[in-house]
Amino acid sequence: MRVPAPAKLNRFLAVLGRRPDGFHELELVTTVLEDVPGLTDTLEGEPAAALSLALSGPMSEGLAVDESNLVLRAWRLLEREARRPLPAALRLEKRIPHGAGLGGGSSDAAAALKLGNELCGLGLAQADLLRLAAELGSDVPLFVLGGTVLGLGRGERVFPLRPVPLEPLLLVHPGLFVGTPSVYGALGSVGYPMPEACPSLAPGAPPPWRNDLAGAAVWVCPPLADGRAALLEAGGEPLLCGSGSCW
């Protein structure tokens, strides 16, 4: 079996405050970039004598193939749910850059949940997959849903929205890696943005472009500012993708 793992674009990302558990209260409107081959990982799997994962593709260099890998972590959750081993030979082709704010690892994890559920005939409902996805990371559930998604809480509470078409845009990857935990950790140093939720929208109206993490990301990774300056000089309106590094 083969399952696509597309990238995502947060077109609205508001940080509403810090929670007692250390996470941040968020409101997100995210579009899963389906049918963009250059920004889609591919996960393949077939029954085998033991569980294995092989990596390939232009963005696979430096990624670990051990129990910290999100694909294998997702598979272990399926084994826990099934209460039995699920031996399979998995192959992941990476095209989404790592640490770019495009959700590549989270999308791979969601693809593993979907593929394992079908390949092994587990019969898990979408609600079950969403529950497991939330254990893996805040961004994983939105990839289980796909399309245009509203994310609440730390992002793990997801709701499908009417499709919001994206206008033509240029996606720029500056070749930098930005760690998401470090960006959220820097919010306390940079200062929290005004906690404004998404305004009420008319039917079919798109949300505003916004990312409250941009200041903290540039503070953590100052070279990000060079890319933003170049895009501004070229007449663009740069918006950071998630916690970066793509504009």
Side-chain angles (χ1 to χ4, degrees):
M1 290 189 65
R2 175 182 297 178
V3 174
K8 56 89 175 170
L9 182 68
N10 297 116
R11 61 181 303 145
F12 183 88
L13 192 163
V15 179
L16 304 181
R18 188 176 175 86
R19 298 167 19 153
D21 61 5
F23 288 98
H24 290 80
E25 195 71 23
L26 305 177
E27 184 173 10
L28 310 166
V29 178
T30 303
T31 298
V32 178
L33 300 176
E34 291 153 345
D35 302 320
V36 183
L39 285 175
T40 302
D41 296 345
T42 303
L43 181 64
E44 297 181 345
E46 61 185 356
L51 178 61
S52 64
L53 173 63
L55 298 181
S56 63
M59 295 297 169
S60 62
E61 185 177 354
L63 297 181
V65 185
D66 56 28
E67 292 297 325
S68 68
N69 186 285
L70 276 167
V71 169
L72 292 179
R73 287 176 56 197
W75 207 266
R76 295 304 185 195
L77 287 184
L78 291 175
E79 290 183 328
R80 185 193 73 188
E81 204 75 5
R83 299 183 180 182
R84 60 182 173 89
L86 303 174
L90 305 177
R91 296 176 295 277
L92 177 64
E93 185 171 5
K94 287 291 299 178
R95 299 185 188 90
I96 304 172
H98 186 51
L102 300 174
S106 296
S107 187
D108 297 340
L113 293 177
K114 295 176 183 177
L115 186 145
N117 190 36
E118 294 297 324
L119 184 68
C120 303
L122 302 183
L124 297 175
Q126 187 181 72
D128 297 315
L129 296 180
L130 289 171
R131 171 174 51 81
L132 297 176
E135 290 189 46
L136 292 164
S138 301
D139 276 350
V140 182
L142 71 89
F143 288 107
V144 173
L145 283 187
T148 303
V149 179
L150 170 68
L152 300 176
R154 56 182 170 84
E156 87 288 2
R157 292 172 49 215
V158 291
F159 305 88
L161 297 177
R162 289 187 298 270
V164 179
L166 291 172
E167 53 263 49
L169 54 86
L170 173 68
L171 193 63
V172 178
H173 181 230
L176 300 169
F177 173 87
V178 180
T180 299
S182 64
V183 173
Y184 279 101
L187 284 171
S189 301
V190 175
Y192 284 86
M194 292 296 293
E196 298 177 2
C198 188
S200 297
L201 302 172
W209 290 99
R210 174 177 164 183
N211 185 348
D212 287 354
L213 297 179
V218 172
W219 191 85
V220 167
C221 183
L224 278 178
D226 298 335
R228 178 172 58 187
L231 292 169
L232 286 169
E233 186 177 351
E237 299 178 19
L239 179 83
L240 193 68
C241 298
S243 57
S245 62
C246 277
W247 294 99

